[in-house]
Amino acid sequence: MQLNKSYKNTKELLVDNFEPQKSSLLQALHMIQNINGFISQEDMITLSRYLKVAKSEIFGSITTYPEIQLSIDNDFKECSGLSCFINNKNEITNPTDCKFKCFNAPIGFQSHSTYSIEKKEYKKNNELITPIIDSSEILSRPVLLENINEIKDGTFDSYNKIYQFNALKEALNKSPEEIIRLVEESGLKGRGGAYFPTATKWKMASTKTSIQKYLIVNCEEGEPGVFKDRLIMEHMPFKLIEGALIASYANNCSNLVFYINGEAENGFNSLKNALSQMEKNGIIGKNGKINNSNFKLKIKLESGAGGYVCGEETTLLNTMEGQRREPRLKPPFPTEKGVFSLPTIINNAETLCNITFILNNSINEFKKIGDKDFPGTKLLSISGHFKKSGILEIPMGIKISELFNYTQIEDLENKIEFLAIGGPSSGLLPKSEFHTKLKGGLINENGIMLGAGGFIGINSTIDPIDVVINLAKYNSSESCGKCTPCREGTPRMVKQLEQLKNISVNNNSINDLNLLAETVNVASLCGLGQAAGNPIISYLKYFYNQ
């Protein structure tokens, strides 16, 4: 979030940039921190008076936002995300959370600068670019990364030369109902991790009559080991925005919000610049009209609060309203009562890029690719001990063994022994199960799921128990504390895993750990807790007896 002028004090900044309402809290915190480096007690008092919110409530919210600091921290830290953890020989002295440069692990961080290893030493490197792995041997034609080499500079002219925003123009010549029907026939399912049918969500929202309706593009992407949305924002902003405009039109939305991870500064600036270019070229009118049609839209960029749980849709809504970073009970669902109690559709960035492809081509072209139940493709975030790391677009339904054989991402002299698929919410898959197909939802009955597409390869130098402890510690630290099973159960799982590693335990202890993992999964409120036991369940199934 960049400022165009300097301010004498916090009050002047607030008056010039924000409405005096609680929903301004998170964005105001980001702006103050960008100037001062942290949030002081005086800043909180000023915020309290301006927003008319108790200081204690502001402090409570701040303590749940990982990216908001109450003091300046200039210490050098090492990323503790799983890819960095395994590439650092499990030796991290001053850890920080995942910095989403997993393709270049291990990573260091200090004073908003990224460091990578050069000649066995950390060197400042803020120019790391996400590699794209060739998928031509496994994919007849790309869907999401179509023409990526021609458009990856992120300029309006590059995108317009190829696409001319024809998908948007075609959509505006159809009725919203026709667009929803087309998406339904395509079989598109969400790509954020839950794989909920996109058209079903849209139809739920379309039954709600309201003067205002929101579409929120979820670019929070706070899951360690996943960096595909950052690639989309930085190198494919126009494809994403075009898909979001089509979705907004299909759902009769009045407001479009891109909710972006607070640390994804390059993605934020790329989208901001792309929207500006679309305004200059008349795709988005000054009055909000889209491509000179009768459809009008208010468009806004917001920086997220950070952390994994903020990607959960109701937690995201809470932070937009200035509330604590914790989930809501469902029902009501966001499509019925979302942000500011208005009907709200929340779609992942990758999901919306598929919309652009479907409108530019056809339903049949989309359904030719992938699995019968999961048509289309998926972006995998490849990292760990692979020979090649970066973003790989795969057809849904491909076997892991086929992926290895045809893309040559594996180092044949240092083979992958097991995979961490789907991030901390998923489990570990041994090489004996590499015949498994990659598609939405659970890919294995032992708690392993594709999720948002994290795909970390691990060789024989790493003990699986250390990986599980790393994932369990992350889940424990990310628990918002709202529900008892997750708040109490996740740290207890860490403790029992450490006992399992360091001392001999009997079968009763193993059964207790398995029961605890299953109980946390069943009894927790949101997706984090409901999957926090998966790494433990898969470890006990496949690795403990080894």
Side-chain angles (χ1 to χ4, degrees), residues 154-205:
T155 64
F156 180 90
D157 289 341
S158 298
Y159 187 80
N160 192 54
K161 182 179 179 180
I162 297 173
Y163 293 107
Q164 294 91 44
F165 294 90
N166 287 331
L168 175 62
K169 293 171 184 175
E170 181 180 345
L172 293 172
N173 286 324
K174 298 179 182 291
S175 69
E177 293 76 18
E178 286 180 285
I179 302 297
I180 293 177
R181 187 162 56 249
L182 185 149
V183 173
E184 183 174 31
E185 291 174 6
S186 76
L188 175 65
K189 296 180 180 179
R191 296 298 196 256
Y195 298 92
F196 190 80
T198 303
T200 301
K201 183 181 288 189
W202 291 8
K203 287 166 74 175
M204 289 167 64

Side-chain angles (χ1 to χ4, degrees), residues 502-513:
N502 297 318
I503 62 175
S504 59
V505 295
N506 56 37
N507 286 335
N508 287 337
S509 297
I510 298 301
N511 292 336
D512 287 346
L513 176 57

